[in-house]
Amino acid sequence: MSRFFTTGSDSESESSLSGEELVTKPVGGNYGKQPLLLSEDEEDTKRVVRSAKDKRFEELTNLIRTIRNAMKIRDVTKCLEEFELLGKAYGKAKSIVDKEGVPRFYIRILADLEDYLNELWEDKEGKKKMNKNNAKALSTLRQKIRKYNRDFESHITSYKQNPEQSADEDAEKNEEDSEGSSDEDEDEDGVSAAAFLKKKSEAPSGESRKFLKKMEDEDEDSEDSEDDEDWDTGSTSSDSDSEEEEGKQTALASRFLKKAPTTEEDKKAAEKKREDKAKKKHDRKSKRLDEEEEDNEGGEWERVRGGVPLVKEKPKMFAKGTEITHAVVIKKLNEILQARGKKGTDRAAQIELLQLLVQIASENNLGEGVIVKIKFNIIASLYDYNPNLATYMKPEMWQKCLDCINELMDILFANPNIFVGENILEESENLQNVDQPLRVRGCILTLVERMDEEFTKIMQNTDPHSQEYVEHLKDEAQVCAIIERVQRYLEEKGTTEEICRVYLRRILHTYYKFDYKAHQRQLTPPEGSSKSEQDQAENEGEDSAVLMERLCKYIYAKDRTDRIRTCAILCHIYHHALHSRWYQARDLMLMSHLQDNIQHADPPVQILYNRTMVQLGICAFRQGLTKDAHNALLDIQSSGRAKELLGQGLLLRSLQERNQEQEKVERRRQVPFHLHINLELLECVYLVSAMLLEIPYMAAHESDARRRMISKQFHHQLRVGERQPLLGPPESMREHVVAASKAMKMGDWKTCHSFIINEKMNGKVWDLFPEADKVRTMLVRKIQEESLRTYLFTYSSVYDSISMETLSDMFELDLPTVHSIISKMIINEELMASLDQPTQTVVMHRTEPTAQQNLALQLAEKLGSLVENNERVFDHKQGTYGGYFRDQKDGYRKNEGYMRRGGYRQQQSQTAY
């Protein structure tokens, strides 16, 4: 665009000259020879007339220039603001763009801006160092530019395929526009808009490139000035032709317009001119490439990111020539620790500084005391790397932490003269005087406890069904080894309280593990000749029962806090139950009286108590004690929240009852997956125990209207099975138990056995037990016995007498067992019968009322209650239901009526029996 044009609007009046751009009249130009129609106020200045296209495109170029400047300094917020203004300006120029087409410089800025934002987005380190506003603006602008560029996808694709050609075509188009409509606008420095845009499109790659670019722009400026002169002459000739035909105002307007070449000669001249320009450009480009190749002989140029280069230099710990002493190192350590926890502190860099300080201390032989002190702070900094309690340590940080603790323990074991403890004040530390014992402030037990908590968090936040969980679980061996080393260290130098704490850590990593070696030794006792004494000693040392006994008894005797003792007792009971030591586990639970006040304990201890009770119930079931198993599992299973009570997950319905913070706290209390108890096994054990208790009870009290339910959950499963419209073969574990219950109710023990023990149930439940075959054998025996009891309860009214041998063959039990079961039923008055010893038969007494008699008794009971209600309502209507008469009538109802009904029942029973 010519320097004679301004940004003023065409509709502005000539009197408002203050808002218009005024350019001094050039001396000696061709314009001085033309007669101009100027007012008296415009004798020394000339008003510039501009088209709408020029104004709109200039507004776009100005905004593009601002965006590119913001891109240079990585100001994404400014880029976002200017991009929004650019979109509005493009909307204003929409009518011109529809006629002329989308300008190439607009396509170029959209493509460059998108590439620039993608580069920033992929730069992870750069994003971390961005301030909050820039990071937010980057995300917003990236979404907007991707959405906005969909309308220009074809243009951007063609531009990216050949950006240099697009830039050349854009420059040529701008030059043509400057010839026809003066579209080339020079700014105050004399640089044209086309040259400016081209300069923006080509990214500099070095100092030589910048210098060459500047020379190229100067050449283009000189060409543009020549074009302006040609434009002037052409406009002068066209002006002289138009003066004869049109008026003075038309002549003034025609000065700024150039007619398109009409003749073939003019077209050829214009084409030749373009070819000359293209040739000159090509020569300049080839010359520039040759010079770059000469400069590149020493090495290749590298493409670098825009903005200020971030040179990461290794921090200097001490000035050159500084003497490294204990005081200097401790002072530097305190300087590093002062930044700990402050906002903006790079925690990773702080850890590197501390590790570098350890190297310096070891290189200068400052002694083990200084190294131990720095190591304590390194481990503490590793724990502080994640400020949030919910986040867990990264794998590299976790491994670094384990290595650092091992190194610290190596130093402490190698130097017995070093004493560490929380009670040592910093003023009383001795880090350099070797003649006296070295004293360092710090607690190795606290670091190990924090390490154990971090390991738990890692396991909680890892997908339990992935290989990553297995890899993390392998680290438990290292954790246990570290705890064992700390235990040996504290047994020599620790206090009683510290020994109890480290013993509890050791117990928590031992109590839930089944000792297969000890179990194998019990099954196959070793012979003296097969194994050496050394091997036997090693096996005895690995026995977890002996270890748990020693650690727990020390805590029982020495611990002063109730929490550690409670946790130790629960872990001890759990370990006994896991290894089928039912009576030891039961006695320890009853003697501890934990069930009386466990509701006042903190949630982790309550979860441990629930886990212990569940394991106790499973142990009782393995021993064949179904009643004890049912009682132990009743509280957990009847609540319907076994998963939550055992700390193995949160229920969806309970998530709605708590807020987000409470949910986070609950999730931190969950036990890792490798400590979980199989919930399906737990429910199956409970339902089978309830079946073995409930079915004989239901058969014995079938006619009793007031019979109580032993297990509500079991009855619920029975009702669910009865409500099913179509009964197919059982699929789930619950369906198997319901089907087995129905078979047992009929006395069919073989069908019941096939439903409880089959391939599907073995895979789901029974194979999970350590001694699966023993459990299955016990279960078959229990089903036979309870089916016999149910059969006798159900069909005793049918038989006058029945042979015990028949019962023995029917239920495949030996005769003494059948005799024992029937004798117990007779003694407990559950079965009205007697044993005929010579004939080995059971003689029924037929004292049980028939079904018709039971219905008659129930009807009489209900009629009596109906009469009482009618009397009460009648008395209330008569108004005699209070005062003195109330006592009389109540006495009548309580005594005489009761005696009357009781006498009736007694008389009825006498006649029936």
Side-chain angles (χ1 to χ4, degrees), residues 208-319:
S208 61
R209 201 63 188 272
K210 291 180 180 179
F211 176 76
L212 293 172
K213 188 71 181 175
K214 186 174 180 182
M215 297 297 294
E216 179 185 345
D217 293 338
E218 289 175 2
D219 294 340
E220 289 179 0
D221 291 342
S222 64
E223 288 183 10
D224 294 338
S225 63
E226 292 174 2
D227 293 344
D228 292 338
E229 291 175 3
D230 295 340
W231 182 84
D232 291 339
T233 57
S235 63
T236 306
S237 60
S238 63
D239 196 328
S240 61
D241 295 336
S242 64
E243 279 181 351
E244 298 175 357
E245 299 174 0
E246 298 176 358
K248 294 179 180 179
Q249 294 180 355
T250 308
L252 179 61
S254 65
R255 288 173 53 86
F256 303 101
L257 298 175
K258 182 179 179 180
K259 293 181 180 178
T262 54
T263 63
E264 291 184 3
E265 295 179 358
D266 295 337
K267 290 181 180 178
K268 287 181 180 179
E271 188 175 354
K272 186 178 181 182
K273 193 174 183 179
R274 283 196 297 271
E275 289 177 357
D276 293 340
K277 289 179 182 175
K279 187 176 180 181
K280 288 180 181 179
K281 258 180 210 175
H282 182 70
D283 294 340
R284 287 197 303 270
K285 190 175 180 181
S286 60
K287 185 178 179 182
R288 185 173 68 244
L289 291 174
D290 293 340
E291 292 179 359
E292 285 181 0
E293 289 178 0
E294 292 177 2
D295 294 338
N296 289 341
E297 288 178 359
E300 296 183 357
W301 290 88
E302 292 182 4
R303 183 169 185 145
V304 297
R305 293 175 182 170
V308 181
L310 299 174
V311 181
K312 188 175 181 181
E313 297 181 355
K314 196 172 183 180
K316 295 181 179 179
M317 297 294 294
F318 303 104

Side-chain angles (χ1 to χ4, degrees), residues 397-422:
M397 289 291 177
W398 167 249
Q399 195 59 45
K400 195 181 294 185
C401 178
L402 292 180
D403 295 340
C404 203
I405 293 177
N406 275 320
E407 292 172 4
L408 182 59
M409 292 306 302
D410 291 339
I411 296 174
L412 293 178
F413 276 114
N415 299 274
N417 61 331
I418 299 179
F419 291 90
V420 296
E422 290 178 320

Side-chain angles (χ1 to χ4, degrees), residues 174-203:
N174 288 338
E175 289 170 2
E176 290 174 9
D177 292 341
S178 68
E179 292 173 4
S181 60
S182 62
D183 188 33
E184 195 170 31
D185 178 28
E186 292 183 4
D187 53 13
E188 296 175 358
D189 297 334
V191 182
S192 64
F196 173 78
L197 291 174
K198 185 171 182 182
K199 184 164 62 176
K200 292 294 181 184
S201 67
E202 296 179 6

Side-chain angles (χ1 to χ4, degrees), residues 342-410:
K342 290 185 179 178
K343 189 176 181 181
T345 303
D346 189 355
R347 290 180 288 273
Q350 197 175 30
I351 295 170
E352 291 180 4
L353 288 174
L354 291 172
Q355 290 176 341
L356 185 60
L357 198 62
V358 169
Q359 294 178 5
I360 294 173
S362 60
E363 289 173 0
N364 290 273
N365 299 323
L366 296 183
E368 300 296 341
V370 176
I371 295 176
V372 167
K373 185 174 180 62
I374 301 174
K375 289 278 186 185
F376 270 115
N377 290 288
I378 290 176
I379 299 171
S381 300
L382 287 170
Y383 291 146
D384 292 343
Y385 186 78
N386 293 324
N388 191 359
L389 284 175
T391 55
Y392 60 98
M393 293 180 77
K394 296 179 180 178
E396 58 272 12
M397 289 291 177
W398 167 249
Q399 195 59 45
K400 195 181 294 185
C401 178
L402 292 180
D403 295 340
C404 203
I405 293 177
N406 275 320
E407 292 172 4
L408 182 59
M409 292 306 302
D410 291 339

Side-chain angles (χ1 to χ4, degrees), residues 330-344:
I330 295 301
K331 182 180 179 182
K332 192 66 179 180
L333 175 63
N334 292 331
E335 289 178 6
I336 297 172
L337 295 180
Q338 282 175 0
R340 180 180 169 188
K342 290 185 179 178
K343 189 176 181 181

Side-chain angles (χ1 to χ4, degrees), residues 418-435:
I418 299 179
F419 291 90
V420 296
E422 290 178 320
N423 53 353
I424 299 175
L425 301 177
E426 290 190 0
E427 295 82 9
S428 61
E429 283 184 329
N430 177 24
L431 303 176
Q432 54 184 346
N433 190 359
V434 188
D435 298 335

